[in-house]
Amino acid sequence: MLTPPIEVTMAAFCRPMGLEPELLRRAMYEVAARYGTDVMAPLDTPLVSESEWSRQVEEVLRTEHGAVVDLSDFAAKWFTDRQVNEPWLARLAELRDAGYRIGVLSNMVPGWDEHWRRMVPVELFDEIVLSFQVGHRKPEPGIFRLAAERLGLRPEECLLVDDLGANCTGARAAGWHAVHFTGTAEALARLAGLTDAGGEAPADLSVSAQEGKR
């Protein structure tokens, strides 16, 4: 939500290399299958270094899809010219000024942490809970439990806004509220319904900094 949807970022990342995004996506899933995880878990848990993961993805692209590309320095390329969702940030700032607690709850790759922090005002967030630091990842219940504890809140006082449906399902199973982010305008409207006067608003909003990596 803080940055463009994964499809937009993937297309921008692949375009300079002349690589079809679907081929990169397939290679990433094939590498993840070696670890018995979903697509980004090898990186954001982490089970493997980014450089080794990139090498493995390159190998799959070359040997199974006939695509020869250079994925070194993956993080820098992934964040090049990436835009920030300014309307979303502005609304979060308004909510924080109104007394809501705002957090980041993200499945984060270690090498990507410095990049997103340069893009957004991290002082906006009361807590930042990142998978590679805490040993849990969305949609596992442990990361939701930890985030609520850090904020001193009950699960039913917490709301996750996330662009992956599975993460929203995990949040609800942990006792949280959840909004599936499918677009800024719709998410802002749903937030208004939860936070405007008379709404049954949770005391915390916990926002994923990355696109549910995925």
Side-chain angles (χ1 to χ4, degrees):
M1 286 71 63
L2 299 179
T3 56
I6 182 64
E7 294 80 8
V8 174
T9 301
M10 184 78 80
F13 177 83
C14 290
R15 192 176 300 117
M17 295 182 286
L19 178 65
E20 288 295 327
E22 181 57 28
L23 287 186
L24 177 59
R25 189 176 289 107
R26 288 182 194 173
M28 291 167 64
Y29 273 102
E30 289 175 48
V31 170
R34 300 175 182 177
Y35 296 89
T37 69
D38 71 24
V39 64
M40 292 302 293
L43 277 177
D44 62 40
T45 308
L47 301 174
V48 64
S49 68
E50 183 180 304
S51 60
E52 174 58 21
W53 177 85
S54 298
R55 188 197 64 75
Q56 292 179 21
V57 175
E58 285 179 358
E59 179 186 19
V60 171
L61 284 168
R62 183 179 66 256
T63 60
E64 300 188 24
H65 302 289
V68 179
V69 295
D70 177 13
L71 299 181
S72 61
D73 204 11
F74 192 99
K77 294 173 182 175
W78 185 256
F79 282 90
T80 296
D81 296 328
R82 206 164 179 189
Q83 302 300 308
V84 175
N85 189 341
E86 296 291 354
W88 186 252
L89 275 177
R91 182 56 178 150
L92 294 184
E94 291 172 356
L95 289 169
R96 192 168 191 266
D97 288 344
Y100 289 86
R101 305 199 72 193
I102 308 296
V104 170
L105 181 57
S106 180
N107 292 347
M108 177 65 64
V109 180
W112 297 13
D113 191 20
E114 62 180 294
H115 293 277
W116 80 267
R117 289 176 185 269
R118 286 199 294 264
M119 296 176 64
V120 301
V122 293
E123 63 273 10
L124 171 64
F125 307 111
D126 296 290
E127 285 289 343
I128 298 175
V129 179
L130 306 177
S131 60
F132 79 92
Q133 293 177 333
V134 303
H136 299 284
R137 67 192 305 274
K138 299 176 296 183
E140 299 167 356
I143 198 165
F144 298 109
R145 182 172 58 252
L146 177 62
E149 289 174 353
R150 283 193 178 182
L151 288 160
L153 298 168
R154 299 186 303 275
E156 62 269 22
E157 295 176 312
C158 299
L159 167 68
L160 176 77
V161 183
D162 199 288
D163 61 350
L164 290 185
N167 292 339
C168 293
T169 299
R172 294 187 187 103
W176 289 37
H177 302 268
V179 169
H180 185 192
F181 184 99
T182 56
T184 301
E186 180 183 356
L188 289 174
R190 294 191 64 187
L191 274 184
L194 288 167
T195 58
D196 285 350
E200 300 260 338
D204 168 61
L205 300 178
S206 187
V207 182
S208 175
Q210 298 293 331
E211 313 79 0
K213 309 183 247 332
R214 337 17 90 197

